[in-house]
Amino acid sequence: IWAHFCKYVYAGIGGLNEALRENFPVGQGPWYGLPSFITLFSPVDLKISSVYEYVIINDINNEWTNVFSLFGSAYLFNGIFMGTIYLIIIAIISYNLYQRRLKTTNYWTYLSYYLWSSGLILSFFSNYYTLLNIWELTVEAFLIGWWYKNYKSKSIK
């Protein structure tokens, strides 16, 4: 169990290290990282090169990975320019949710920030912002908090 846990913790960094060492292609999917629901409204192709599907990170026992951490995924798949823009957008959303959390006692606003930051907490492993659940749950909690705040202020009057 310990070996599996250590592989999980270090797989993103190890995968990025091997991808850079082997000179894998960089920036071939500039729109990678967008949440999956974007493809419903736009014909953006979010696929990446198949070379990233199986990367050996330990030659002794042939341990492999297909994850590269949040920063590694942004660089490898989006390229330096689009990856930087992508990370700046993630940072702006994170900062705004954090500031809202500091300025309120609304439980739902807290929850929206915590749900969003779960992707940041797990960013050592992979880019969780490509998944729908983080976006969906964050927005739902934020909207419930906004509705509750407005409902509460109307009921006081």
Side-chain angles (χ1 to χ4, degrees), residues 68-81:
F68 306 96
S69 78
L70 173 63
F71 294 102
S73 296
Y75 171 69
L76 293 172
F77 305 145
N78 298 93
I80 189 73
F81 181 73

Side-chain angles (χ1 to χ4, degrees), residues 87-104:
L87 291 173
I88 288 171
I89 291 169
I90 296 290
I92 289 170
I93 294 170
S94 301
Y95 180 77
N96 284 330
L97 286 171
Y98 177 70
Q99 289 300 315
R100 288 181 184 271
R101 187 199 68 82
L102 289 178
K103 295 177 184 175
T104 187

Side-chain angles (χ1 to χ4, degrees), residues 23-98:
N23 291 322
F24 283 5
V26 173
Q28 292 189 338
W31 299 110
Y32 180 82
L34 293 176
S36 57
F37 63 85
I38 296 292
T39 58
L40 297 174
F41 308 109
S42 175
V44 174
D45 186 20
L46 300 178
K47 299 205 185 317
I48 58 170
S49 174
S50 62
V51 72
Y52 291 105
E53 292 175 3
Y54 186 84
V55 178
I56 302 289
I57 57 174
N58 187 344
D59 295 332
I60 296 170
N61 59 2
N62 287 329
E63 295 268 339
W64 63 276
T65 188
N66 60 353
V67 294
F68 306 96
S69 78
L70 173 63
F71 294 102
S73 296
Y75 171 69
L76 293 172
F77 305 145
N78 298 93
I80 189 73
F81 181 73
M82 290 299 284
T84 302
I85 290 174
Y86 177 74
L87 291 173
I88 288 171
I89 291 169
I90 296 290
I92 289 170
I93 294 170
S94 301
Y95 180 77
N96 284 330
L97 286 171
Y98 177 70

Side-chain angles (χ1 to χ4, degrees), residues 116-136:
W116 179 262
S117 62
S118 66
L120 294 175
I121 292 168
L122 296 171
S123 68
F124 67 90
F125 184 67
S126 185
N127 183 358
Y128 284 88
Y129 295 107
T130 60
L131 304 175
L132 178 61
N133 63 348
I134 287 183
W135 292 90
E136 181 182 32

